[in-house]
Amino acid sequence: MDATCTRGAALRAVRVGGCGEPAYAGVMYARRRRGYFLLMGGCVALFVSAWAVVRLWSVPVAVGMCVVAMVIPPVAAMVANRRGPDDRWWDDPSGDPQSDEWWDELDGRKRR
C-alpha cells in the first residue's frame, strides 16, 4: 500500500481494486460477506420468531426451529471462508524467491 492511501481510502479500494489490492478481492469478500450475513440473519430470524411467536402455538416446533438455527452458524462460517472457483489465491507469490521458483517449476510455468 502506498503512502497516499489513508485508512478510509484503503477500505474503499478493497471494493474497487485500488491502492495495491487485487481487483478481485473486493468482489470475493463482498460475496462472502453477503452469504454470511444472509445465513446469520436467517438464524436470528428463526430464533426470535421461534420464541416470540411460534411457542404460543407449539413449543416442540419452536424447539425444532432453535435446533435448525443452532446448525446455521457453523455453515455460515464455512460459506464465509469458502474459496470460489475464480479465487486464484494459490497463484500469489509467497515472497520467498527460492520457494516460488520451485513451485513454478512444479506447476510447469518455468521450464529449464
Side-chain angles (χ1 to χ4, degrees):
M1 188 180 309
D2 59 6
T4 61
C5 290
T6 62
R7 184 173 196 276
L11 291 175
R12 284 188 301 277
V14 170
R15 292 188 203 110
V16 296
C19 288
E21 294 289 330
Y24 66 88
V27 176
M28 176 179 59
Y29 294 129
R31 177 184 48 83
R32 291 180 185 180
R33 270 195 310 268
R34 190 177 314 115
Y36 178 79
F37 285 120
L38 282 173
L39 283 169
M40 290 305 289
C43 175
V44 170
L46 273 172
F47 186 76
V48 169
S49 65
W51 294 112
V53 178
V54 177
R55 72 169 173 88
L56 299 174
W57 288 281
S58 174
V59 172
V61 172
V63 170
M65 288 172 68
C66 285
V67 169
V68 170
M70 179 181 69
V71 174
I72 292 175
V75 172
M78 286 184 261
V79 165
N81 290 311
R82 181 180 59 90
R83 299 215 186 249
D86 56 339
D87 299 340
R88 301 197 44 101
W89 56 271
W90 59 87
D91 288 341
D92 293 341
S94 67
D96 179 19
Q98 184 178 7
S99 174
D100 292 339
E101 182 179 340
W102 184 73
W103 282 108
D104 287 343
E105 183 179 337
L106 282 177
D107 291 340
R109 284 194 233 159
K110 292 184 182 177
R111 304 213 180 222
R112 292 183 181 203

